Each structure stands twice: as C-alpha cells, then as structure tokens.
Amino acid sequence: MLDKPRINGGDPTATVDSFAVYNPSTGALVANVPNATEETLNAAVAAARAAFPAWAATPDGKRQEICRKIASILGDNAEELAHLLTQEQGKPLNGLGSRWEVGGAQAWASHTAELAIPSKVLQDDENGLITLERKPLGVVGSITPWNFPLMIAIWHIVPALRTGNTVVIKPSPNTPLTTLRMVELLNEVLPAGVLNIVTGDDKAVNLGALMSAHPDIRKIIFTGSCATGQKVMESAAATMKRLTLEMGGNDAGIVLPDADPAAIAEGLFWGAFINNGQTCAAMKRLYVHDSIHDAVCDALVAYARNIPVGDGLDENSILGPVQNRMQFEKLKRLVQSARQKGNVLLGGEPGEGLFFPPTIISGLENGDPLVDEEQFGPALPVIRYTDVEQALADANALETGLGGSIWSSDIKAARAMAARMECGSVWINKHGAIQPNAPFGGVKQSGLGVEFSEEGLFEYTDIQVVFS
Ligand code: NAD
C-alpha cells in the first residue's frame, strides 16, 4: 500500500518519482515512498488552506472529540505502527522502542485532547469588557526528524489541530513510512484537507526549505538539528512565520560525591542510551566526582554489558542499530578520536552494518570532540572532576541547552545546583523523562519556544484582544 502515492488528505496526489526506505537492521528494502515536488507541496498547502476556515470554525468540543479519536486510532493500530516503525527506524519493538513510542504518542494525544484555552477576561467593569482570545494561525507546517518519527509527529499535529489549525507534515526522508500510515489512518476521522503529508528525499527538492519560506504557511514547528533549525529561522523571516524550534542538545549529567553508584547505574544508562543515544534530550556528557568516579564507571559498565543489541524485530532485542549511515560515520569518527586519549571501558569498535555497541569512554574533558559535539548515538564520554563549581561551569560551557541532570542523595542540594544549569529541563537522579503536562524546550541554541501542556498549545495561536 505504501508504495502508492498518498500525499495529502485533500486529494491524493500522484508523484512521478519515488525513493526507497531501507531497514537499518538488515539493509532490506522496506518500501518505496512518493518523492514530492514543489507542485505537490503547493497542492498540499492549498488543501490545508482551503480546509482551514471550516476547521477553525468547528466547535471546540467537536475538535476535542476528534483529537480523542486520534488517540484511540493510535491504540487500535499500535502493533501495525510499531512494526513499521521498527522496520524503518531500527529501534526494537521492545524496551524503550517502537511499542513504547506508539504508547507515548497515544498518551500525548489523549492528554492534548483534554487541554483547552479559555478566553481570559482582562477587565470587566463600568469602563467596559476586555477579553484576551487565542485564535488559530492557519496552515501549520510540521518538519520532523528520524529518531522518534511517530511520537514527534503527534507532538506537532495534535496541538495544532486541537487549536483549530490545519497541517502539512513532512517527515524525515529516513523515516517517512510510519507517519504516512498514521496520516492515512487519522484521515479516516478528519475532514479532507485538515491533515496533509508530503514526503521527499531532500535531494533535487528540499521540501522543508520550501515550507519554511512558503507564503501560505503561517507557522513552522520543527524538530531536528541546530544547523537545520537555523536555516528554518532564516527562511521564515520574510513571511514572519511563528516558529517553534526543537533542536539539538548536548546534555550534561553531573554526579555529585554523595551519589550511590549502584543505585544510579540503571538511570544513568537509560538517560544516555535511550533510543541508542539518538535522542535530543539524552545525556551526552557525564561528569563524575573523582571520589566515586571508578565506582560509577564500574556500575554503569556492569549494567550496560547485559543489554541485548540486535535486529529490532527480534522480541529479545532491547537496543537496535544506528538509524542511518551518516549518523553512524559521525559516531565512528567521534569514538575513534576519543579512543586516542581516553580509556575505553565498554564497546568502542563498530559492529556489523549499522550496529554500534554501547560505548563508554572515560578520561575525556571539555574540548574533546566526543564531549563538545552532539554524538547522537550510543557512546558516552565520562569526565572526572574534583571541583563541583568547575563541573558546573564545564556543563554550562556549550552553546546548547536542552536538558541536564544532577545525581545525588541530597535532593535539596541537587535542586539548588539544578537551578544553576543552563537548560530547559533539568532532572534529579534521572535524565530525559518528559511528560505531556510539563512544557519542554531548549534554551540558548537548542531552540525557541516549548511543546506540551497549555504553554505548548499557546504556540499554535495568536492573541487577539477584544475591547467593548
Ligand atoms: P535534521 O535537521 O537533519 O532534519 C530534520 C528535518 O529537517 C528532516 O525532516 C529534514 O528533511 C528537514 N530538513 C532538511 N533540510 C532542511 C531545510 N533546509 N529546511 C527545513 N527543513 C529541512 O535532523 P535529524 O538528523 O533528522 O535529527 C537529529 C537532530 O534532531 C539531532 O540534532 C537531535 O538532537 C535533534 N532533535 C531534537 C529534538 C528536540 O525536541 N529538541 C528531538 C529530536 C531530535
């Protein structure tokens, strides 16, 4: 089914070309996908634009009901979506893999369906009534990455629809299949043109760039790398698009001297290696106090050794391959450079195909490429420190600021230190745990704006103040 053109919810549009999507575990072809042109994109935007007035005028309760249905559709089709996701992304069905991602998408859709933005009375007295209203923007363009393609698509789509916008979504060329299938399923309950999808290989035509400059798209919600996010911002300037940019990070974790190495090992591992480290807010640098450095490394390595890595469709796998060759080569380069200086405590050698074993390398410091660059893969640098203030300064030294964590037995002291980290989310004794009722976003060069909760919903609206 997926190799047939199925471009948008208005009218399915045929494309002349297609491109292939391969399974990162095996290299096998999964499906051919429509390769959209600028004309295809324009048709999708026109469909979304035409559908906007009626969708914006749809009673709030009706839109809420449809968003609830979206959540149920994800639940009803969870196994099909999870299998497709594993085949294109590589992540295992189990562990924090595809089934977990589909479950997360459903949970986010359910929570977002229940959110609402009531009109706010600013003044109501003998001088008049003044209210603050939040109005939908129009067509929202959603651009998604390849690491959590389904969940991130839902993070973009549901708040946009909930607030009365229509959507054109463009998934990553590496992982378009699950999003295509999901849009097809969601269009069973959405009016035609409200939710549209375009897919392309980013070669002759860069659909994301065209969307960022498109005069009929009012907002871009983008999740991806810092470099691409900056391009989106530049292209969006001429049309004054609203922007939410969720970009890369290089999150630090700081283990304080009073932490219990055995108790934190599992949390440290998953904080860093969730989705094979291919997670925006994964812990990508770990600073450990000299007094417990070796004990923390031993406990972490002991935990990591027992994680089964393999083909995602194997029910026993808990981690899969790296998703694509470009990311694999970047990881290989960073690990090779780290090996020359540091101590390889685990892994360190690339495996077969796109497999790369969980890798932990100590003896590194700020300035080393594996510490300074976002590896976005299963390799964690460990940095030994003696002065907590220096560790904090090193953690804050980079230009990114997505997440951070403090590991300690003293929660009060840890919270005080957490407040001094320069990042949008900070966790104590865990890392990367996000939830739909807590706003999430980056500071510094990690992004602009937030997603989730009422604050996230606001970003899909403009304010209008009515004076009477
Ligand atoms: P990427 O920036 O290469 O691609 C992201 C999307 O942008 C893709 O759909 C791509 O086709 C599109 N794109 C490419 N060129 C474009 C252009 N000129 N204009 C507009 N769009 C364009 O990122 P990726 O490699 O898919 O994802 C990995 C990165 O995403 C990492 O840096 C990671 O930290 C980040 N990320 C951030 C979050 C977050 O919430 N902050 C979440 C997931 C991933």
PDB file of all heavy atoms in Angstrom, residues 253-257 286-291 293 383-392 394 407 417:
ATOM      1  N   GLY A 253      25.225  15.440  32.492  1.00  0.00           N
ATOM      2  CA  GLY A 253      24.797  14.928  33.791  1.00  0.00           C
ATOM      3  C   GLY A 253      25.962  15.133  34.747  1.00  0.00           C
ATOM      4  O   GLY A 253      27.118  14.924  34.363  1.00  0.00           O
ATOM      5  N   ILE A 254      25.659  15.570  35.981  1.00  0.00           N
ATOM      6  CA  ILE A 254      26.731  15.765  36.976  1.00  0.00           C
ATOM      7  C   ILE A 254      26.444  14.852  38.162  1.00  0.00           C
ATOM      8  O   ILE A 254      25.376  14.960  38.803  1.00  0.00           O
ATOM      9  CB  ILE A 254      26.798  17.228  37.451  1.00  0.00           C
ATOM     10  CG1 ILE A 254      27.016  18.172  36.261  1.00  0.00           C
ATOM     11  CG2 ILE A 254      27.896  17.397  38.492  1.00  0.00           C
ATOM     12  CD1 ILE A 254      27.055  19.653  36.634  1.00  0.00           C
ATOM     13  N   VAL A 255      27.380  13.954  38.435  1.00  0.00           N
ATOM     14  CA  VAL A 255      27.224  13.065  39.589  1.00  0.00           C
ATOM     15  C   VAL A 255      27.990  13.681  40.754  1.00  0.00           C
ATOM     16  O   VAL A 255      29.220  13.858  40.685  1.00  0.00           O
ATOM     17  CB  VAL A 255      27.756  11.650  39.271  1.00  0.00           C
ATOM     18  CG1 VAL A 255      27.572  10.739  40.477  1.00  0.00           C
ATOM     19  CG2 VAL A 255      27.050  11.069  38.054  1.00  0.00           C
ATOM     20  N   LEU A 256      27.247  14.000  41.818  1.00  0.00           N
ATOM     21  CA  LEU A 256      27.870  14.626  42.995  1.00  0.00           C
ATOM     22  C   LEU A 256      28.510  13.542  43.880  1.00  0.00           C
ATOM     23  O   LEU A 256      28.143  12.360  43.785  1.00  0.00           O
ATOM     24  CB  LEU A 256      26.808  15.420  43.768  1.00  0.00           C
ATOM     25  CG  LEU A 256      26.168  16.575  42.974  1.00  0.00           C
ATOM     26  CD1 LEU A 256      25.150  17.324  43.826  1.00  0.00           C
ATOM     27  CD2 LEU A 256      27.232  17.535  42.447  1.00  0.00           C
ATOM     28  N   PRO A 257      29.423  13.934  44.765  1.00  0.00           N
ATOM     29  CA  PRO A 257      30.178  12.937  45.537  1.00  0.00           C
ATOM     30  C   PRO A 257      29.298  12.065  46.425  1.00  0.00           C
ATOM     31  O   PRO A 257      29.700  10.945  46.774  1.00  0.00           O
ATOM     32  CB  PRO A 257      31.124  13.780  46.411  1.00  0.00           C
ATOM     33  CG  PRO A 257      31.052  15.166  45.915  1.00  0.00           C
ATOM     34  CD  PRO A 257      29.918  15.306  44.975  1.00  0.00           C
ATOM     35  N   LEU A 286      28.937  12.945  30.758  1.00  0.00           N
ATOM     36  CA  LEU A 286      28.715  12.606  32.169  1.00  0.00           C
ATOM     37  C   LEU A 286      29.921  13.046  32.999  1.00  0.00           C
ATOM     38  O   LEU A 286      31.039  12.551  32.792  1.00  0.00           O
ATOM     39  CB  LEU A 286      28.494  11.094  32.313  1.00  0.00           C
ATOM     40  CG  LEU A 286      28.264  10.598  33.742  1.00  0.00           C
ATOM     41  CD1 LEU A 286      27.012  11.229  34.346  1.00  0.00           C
ATOM     42  CD2 LEU A 286      28.123   9.063  33.760  1.00  0.00           C
ATOM     43  N   TYR A 287      29.693  13.967  33.929  1.00  0.00           N
ATOM     44  CA  TYR A 287      30.740  14.479  34.818  1.00  0.00           C
ATOM     45  C   TYR A 287      30.601  13.754  36.149  1.00  0.00           C
ATOM     46  O   TYR A 287      29.532  13.795  36.772  1.00  0.00           O
ATOM     47  CB  TYR A 287      30.573  15.994  35.017  1.00  0.00           C
ATOM     48  CG  TYR A 287      30.740  16.770  33.719  1.00  0.00           C
ATOM     49  CD1 TYR A 287      29.685  16.895  32.812  1.00  0.00           C
ATOM     50  CD2 TYR A 287      31.961  17.342  33.377  1.00  0.00           C
ATOM     51  CE1 TYR A 287      29.839  17.582  31.610  1.00  0.00           C
ATOM     52  CE2 TYR A 287      32.127  18.042  32.175  1.00  0.00           C
ATOM     53  CZ  TYR A 287      31.059  18.147  31.301  1.00  0.00           C
ATOM     54  OH  TYR A 287      31.223  18.820  30.112  1.00  0.00           O
ATOM     55  N   VAL A 288      31.680  13.084  36.588  1.00  0.00           N
ATOM     56  CA  VAL A 288      31.597  12.284  37.821  1.00  0.00           C
ATOM     57  C   VAL A 288      32.704  12.717  38.783  1.00  0.00           C
ATOM     58  O   VAL A 288      33.883  12.828  38.385  1.00  0.00           O
ATOM     59  CB  VAL A 288      31.746  10.777  37.512  1.00  0.00           C
ATOM     60  CG1 VAL A 288      31.527   9.959  38.780  1.00  0.00           C
ATOM     61  CG2 VAL A 288      30.769  10.337  36.437  1.00  0.00           C
ATOM     62  N   HIS A 289      32.302  12.897  40.050  1.00  0.00           N
ATOM     63  CA  HIS A 289      33.293  13.333  41.043  1.00  0.00           C
ATOM     64  C   HIS A 289      34.355  12.252  41.231  1.00  0.00           C
ATOM     65  O   HIS A 289      34.060  11.048  41.277  1.00  0.00           O
ATOM     66  CB  HIS A 289      32.616  13.643  42.383  1.00  0.00           C
ATOM     67  CG  HIS A 289      33.558  14.340  43.322  1.00  0.00           C
ATOM     68  ND1 HIS A 289      34.300  13.663  44.269  1.00  0.00           N
ATOM     69  CD2 HIS A 289      33.903  15.648  43.415  1.00  0.00           C
ATOM     70  CE1 HIS A 289      35.061  14.534  44.920  1.00  0.00           C
ATOM     71  NE2 HIS A 289      34.834  15.747  44.423  1.00  0.00           N
ATOM     72  N   ASP A 290      35.581  12.744  41.350  1.00  0.00           N
ATOM     73  CA  ASP A 290      36.754  11.876  41.488  1.00  0.00           C
ATOM     74  C   ASP A 290      36.563  10.782  42.556  1.00  0.00           C
ATOM     75  O   ASP A 290      36.946   9.628  42.345  1.00  0.00           O
ATOM     76  CB  ASP A 290      37.932  12.799  41.864  1.00  0.00           C
ATOM     77  CG  ASP A 290      39.206  12.032  42.040  1.00  0.00           C
ATOM     78  OD1 ASP A 290      39.545  11.255  41.137  1.00  0.00           O
ATOM     79  OD2 ASP A 290      39.861  12.200  43.095  1.00  0.00           O
ATOM     80  N   SER A 291      35.918  11.136  43.684  1.00  0.00           N
ATOM     81  CA  SER A 291      35.830  10.190  44.813  1.00  0.00           C
ATOM     82  C   SER A 291      35.010   8.948  44.477  1.00  0.00           C
ATOM     83  O   SER A 291      35.195   7.903  45.105  1.00  0.00           O
ATOM     84  CB  SER A 291      35.229  10.897  46.030  1.00  0.00           C
ATOM     85  OG  SER A 291      33.947  11.384  45.693  1.00  0.00           O
ATOM     86  N   HIS A 293      34.286   8.203  41.003  1.00  0.00           N
ATOM     87  CA  HIS A 293      34.387   8.045  39.557  1.00  0.00           C
ATOM     88  C   HIS A 293      34.480   6.576  39.146  1.00  0.00           C
ATOM     89  O   HIS A 293      33.704   6.082  38.323  1.00  0.00           O
ATOM     90  CB  HIS A 293      35.605   8.827  39.036  1.00  0.00           C
ATOM     91  CG  HIS A 293      35.886   8.626  37.576  1.00  0.00           C
ATOM     92  ND1 HIS A 293      36.622   7.565  37.092  1.00  0.00           N
ATOM     93  CD2 HIS A 293      35.506   9.343  36.489  1.00  0.00           C
ATOM     94  CE1 HIS A 293      36.688   7.648  35.769  1.00  0.00           C
ATOM     95  NE2 HIS A 293      36.020   8.717  35.380  1.00  0.00           N
ATOM     96  N   ILE A 383      33.683  12.260  32.246  1.00  0.00           N
ATOM     97  CA  ILE A 383      34.671  13.286  32.588  1.00  0.00           C
ATOM     98  C   ILE A 383      34.843  13.288  34.106  1.00  0.00           C
ATOM     99  O   ILE A 383      33.871  13.466  34.847  1.00  0.00           O
ATOM    100  CB  ILE A 383      34.185  14.675  32.099  1.00  0.00           C
ATOM    101  CG1 ILE A 383      33.943  14.626  30.582  1.00  0.00           C
ATOM    102  CG2 ILE A 383      35.176  15.773  32.451  1.00  0.00           C
ATOM    103  CD1 ILE A 383      32.534  14.835  30.164  1.00  0.00           C
ATOM    104  N   ARG A 384      36.070  13.085  34.559  1.00  0.00           N
ATOM    105  CA  ARG A 384      36.357  13.082  36.007  1.00  0.00           C
ATOM    106  C   ARG A 384      36.542  14.529  36.476  1.00  0.00           C
ATOM    107  O   ARG A 384      37.196  15.321  35.795  1.00  0.00           O
ATOM    108  CB  ARG A 384      37.655  12.298  36.230  1.00  0.00           C
ATOM    109  CG  ARG A 384      38.015  12.056  37.676  1.00  0.00           C
ATOM    110  CD  ARG A 384      39.452  11.537  37.768  1.00  0.00           C
ATOM    111  NE  ARG A 384      39.642  10.196  37.264  1.00  0.00           N
ATOM    112  CZ  ARG A 384      39.591   9.083  38.001  1.00  0.00           C
ATOM    113  NH1 ARG A 384      39.358   9.160  39.299  1.00  0.00           N
ATOM    114  NH2 ARG A 384      39.794   7.908  37.446  1.00  0.00           N
ATOM    115  N   TYR A 385      35.932  14.866  37.624  1.00  0.00           N
ATOM    116  CA  TYR A 385      36.158  16.225  38.149  1.00  0.00           C
ATOM    117  C   TYR A 385      36.444  16.167  39.647  1.00  0.00           C
ATOM    118  O   TYR A 385      36.080  15.197  40.320  1.00  0.00           O
ATOM    119  CB  TYR A 385      34.956  17.145  37.845  1.00  0.00           C
ATOM    120  CG  TYR A 385      33.736  16.888  38.711  1.00  0.00           C
ATOM    121  CD1 TYR A 385      33.610  17.492  39.972  1.00  0.00           C
ATOM    122  CD2 TYR A 385      32.711  16.049  38.286  1.00  0.00           C
ATOM    123  CE1 TYR A 385      32.503  17.257  40.767  1.00  0.00           C
ATOM    124  CE2 TYR A 385      31.599  15.818  39.078  1.00  0.00           C
ATOM    125  CZ  TYR A 385      31.492  16.413  40.324  1.00  0.00           C
ATOM    126  OH  TYR A 385      30.401  16.180  41.121  1.00  0.00           O
ATOM    127  N   THR A 386      37.072  17.245  40.134  1.00  0.00           N
ATOM    128  CA  THR A 386      37.310  17.335  41.582  1.00  0.00           C
ATOM    129  C   THR A 386      36.558  18.522  42.182  1.00  0.00           C
ATOM    130  O   THR A 386      36.162  18.482  43.341  1.00  0.00           O
ATOM    131  CB  THR A 386      38.816  17.507  41.890  1.00  0.00           C
ATOM    132  OG1 THR A 386      39.334  18.522  41.042  1.00  0.00           O
ATOM    133  CG2 THR A 386      39.589  16.219  41.646  1.00  0.00           C
ATOM    134  N   ASP A 387      36.339  19.567  41.378  1.00  0.00           N
ATOM    135  CA  ASP A 387      35.699  20.778  41.876  1.00  0.00           C
ATOM    136  C   ASP A 387      34.299  20.896  41.266  1.00  0.00           C
ATOM    137  O   ASP A 387      34.148  21.003  40.049  1.00  0.00           O
ATOM    138  CB  ASP A 387      36.589  21.971  41.466  1.00  0.00           C
ATOM    139  CG  ASP A 387      35.948  23.295  41.815  1.00  0.00           C
ATOM    140  OD1 ASP A 387      34.888  23.297  42.468  1.00  0.00           O
ATOM    141  OD2 ASP A 387      36.507  24.339  41.410  1.00  0.00           O
ATOM    142  N   VAL A 388      33.282  20.852  42.109  1.00  0.00           N
ATOM    143  CA  VAL A 388      31.894  20.871  41.625  1.00  0.00           C
ATOM    144  C   VAL A 388      31.609  22.137  40.814  1.00  0.00           C
ATOM    145  O   VAL A 388      30.912  22.084  39.791  1.00  0.00           O
ATOM    146  CB  VAL A 388      30.918  20.755  42.818  1.00  0.00           C
ATOM    147  CG1 VAL A 388      29.487  20.909  42.364  1.00  0.00           C
ATOM    148  CG2 VAL A 388      31.079  19.420  43.500  1.00  0.00           C
ATOM    149  N   GLU A 389      32.159  23.260  41.261  1.00  0.00           N
ATOM    150  CA  GLU A 389      31.921  24.513  40.530  1.00  0.00           C
ATOM    151  C   GLU A 389      32.491  24.416  39.114  1.00  0.00           C
ATOM    152  O   GLU A 389      31.903  24.911  38.161  1.00  0.00           O
ATOM    153  CB  GLU A 389      32.542  25.702  41.273  1.00  0.00           C
ATOM    154  CG  GLU A 389      31.782  26.085  42.532  1.00  0.00           C
ATOM    155  CD  GLU A 389      30.325  26.473  42.255  1.00  0.00           C
ATOM    156  OE1 GLU A 389      30.052  27.163  41.263  1.00  0.00           O
ATOM    157  OE2 GLU A 389      29.452  26.064  43.047  1.00  0.00           O
ATOM    158  N   GLN A 390      33.645  23.765  38.997  1.00  0.00           N
ATOM    159  CA  GLN A 390      34.245  23.610  37.666  1.00  0.00           C
ATOM    160  C   GLN A 390      33.374  22.691  36.795  1.00  0.00           C
ATOM    161  O   GLN A 390      33.173  22.947  35.602  1.00  0.00           O
ATOM    162  CB  GLN A 390      35.675  23.048  37.787  1.00  0.00           C
ATOM    163  CG  GLN A 390      36.421  22.993  36.461  1.00  0.00           C
ATOM    164  CD  GLN A 390      36.548  24.365  35.792  1.00  0.00           C
ATOM    165  OE1 GLN A 390      36.922  25.341  36.428  1.00  0.00           O
ATOM    166  NE2 GLN A 390      36.202  24.438  34.505  1.00  0.00           N
ATOM    167  N   ALA A 391      32.853  21.626  37.418  1.00  0.00           N
ATOM    168  CA  ALA A 391      31.987  20.707  36.659  1.00  0.00           C
ATOM    169  C   ALA A 391      30.756  21.453  36.131  1.00  0.00           C
ATOM    170  O   ALA A 391      30.347  21.277  34.979  1.00  0.00           O
ATOM    171  CB  ALA A 391      31.562  19.529  37.543  1.00  0.00           C
ATOM    172  N   LEU A 392      30.196  22.289  36.985  1.00  0.00           N
ATOM    173  CA  LEU A 392      29.018  23.061  36.575  1.00  0.00           C
ATOM    174  C   LEU A 392      29.386  24.026  35.437  1.00  0.00           C
ATOM    175  O   LEU A 392      28.643  24.151  34.455  1.00  0.00           O
ATOM    176  CB  LEU A 392      28.479  23.833  37.785  1.00  0.00           C
ATOM    177  CG  LEU A 392      27.164  24.564  37.578  1.00  0.00           C
ATOM    178  CD1 LEU A 392      26.016  23.601  37.278  1.00  0.00           C
ATOM    179  CD2 LEU A 392      26.823  25.391  38.823  1.00  0.00           C
ATOM    180  N   ASP A 394      31.786  23.639  33.284  1.00  0.00           N
ATOM    181  CA  ASP A 394      32.005  22.839  32.069  1.00  0.00           C
ATOM    182  C   ASP A 394      30.670  22.381  31.467  1.00  0.00           C
ATOM    183  O   ASP A 394      30.493  22.363  30.247  1.00  0.00           O
ATOM    184  CB  ASP A 394      32.866  21.606  32.385  1.00  0.00           C
ATOM    185  CG  ASP A 394      34.331  21.984  32.615  1.00  0.00           C
ATOM    186  OD1 ASP A 394      34.709  23.127  32.301  1.00  0.00           O
ATOM    187  OD2 ASP A 394      35.081  21.121  33.113  1.00  0.00           O
ATOM    188  N   TRP A 407      22.907  14.159  39.943  1.00  0.00           N
ATOM    189  CA  TRP A 407      22.742  12.849  40.579  1.00  0.00           C
ATOM    190  C   TRP A 407      23.309  12.947  41.982  1.00  0.00           C
ATOM    191  O   TRP A 407      24.506  13.244  42.154  1.00  0.00           O
ATOM    192  CB  TRP A 407      23.450  11.774  39.752  1.00  0.00           C
ATOM    193  CG  TRP A 407      22.940  11.762  38.332  1.00  0.00           C
ATOM    194  CD1 TRP A 407      23.200  12.688  37.373  1.00  0.00           C
ATOM    195  CD2 TRP A 407      22.038  10.811  37.747  1.00  0.00           C
ATOM    196  NE1 TRP A 407      22.525  12.363  36.203  1.00  0.00           N
ATOM    197  CE2 TRP A 407      21.804  11.213  36.404  1.00  0.00           C
ATOM    198  CE3 TRP A 407      21.403   9.652  38.211  1.00  0.00           C
ATOM    199  CZ2 TRP A 407      20.984  10.515  35.535  1.00  0.00           C
ATOM    200  CZ3 TRP A 407      20.585   8.941  37.343  1.00  0.00           C
ATOM    201  CH2 TRP A 407      20.378   9.368  36.023  1.00  0.00           C
ATOM    202  N   MET A 417      21.516  23.026  42.841  1.00  0.00           N
ATOM    203  CA  MET A 417      22.507  23.012  41.759  1.00  0.00           C
ATOM    204  C   MET A 417      21.804  22.946  40.394  1.00  0.00           C
ATOM    205  O   MET A 417      22.221  23.590  39.429  1.00  0.00           O
ATOM    206  CB  MET A 417      23.426  21.816  41.945  1.00  0.00           C
ATOM    207  CG  MET A 417      24.341  21.633  40.791  1.00  0.00           C
ATOM    208  SD  MET A 417      25.935  20.993  41.247  1.00  0.00           S
ATOM    209  CE  MET A 417      26.761  22.382  41.870  1.00  0.00           C
TER     210      MET A 417
END
